[in-house]
Amino acid sequence: SGIREALLYYRFPRKLVFALVIALQSVPLLQDKFRSVRIAQISRGSKRTLFSLMLPILHSVFQRAKNLAISLESRGFHPEKM
């Protein structure tokens, strides 16, 4: 991606660049998850509180992080070799 290349060009640490790129890619996924949780809660008629919205979203964030870590590890990924 262009952001990754620009940050590497300015000699940002590779681990930081990797973390930033992953975080930026996660924003649309979090938006979609938030939207679907909100719609599901509305359809069930439940009260929408911050906790009731955040719990499923946090669960999906940790699940995605775990799956990403497993995937990267199984492929032998090392940020220093990007």
Side-chain angles (χ1 to χ4, degrees):
S1 78
I3 294 173
R4 182 178 70 88
E5 297 301 322
L7 292 174
L8 290 174
Y9 176 79
Y10 288 109
R11 302 190 194 289
F12 277 75
R14 291 182 181 276
K15 288 182 181 182
L16 177 63
V17 171
F18 176 73
L20 286 172
V21 169
I22 293 297
L24 289 174
Q25 290 175 344
S26 298
V27 170
L29 299 173
L30 288 173
Q31 289 174 327
D32 290 342
K33 184 66 174 178
F34 177 80
R35 191 175 304 113
S36 66
V37 168
R38 192 182 68 206
I39 290 170
Q41 289 181 348
I42 290 171
S43 68
R44 292 183 191 122
S46 64
K47 290 180 12 176
R48 289 181 287 158
T49 63
L50 181 59
F51 180 75
S52 66
L53 286 172
M54 292 307 295
L55 192 60
I57 293 170
L58 285 175
H59 178 268
S60 69
V61 165
F62 288 124
Q63 187 68 36
R64 183 175 189 277
K66 180 180 127 186
N67 291 341
L68 182 61
I70 291 169
S71 175
L72 291 172
E73 186 176 337
S74 69
R75 296 173 187 186
F77 176 79
H78 298 283
E80 293 84 17
K81 297 180 183 178
M82 281 187 356

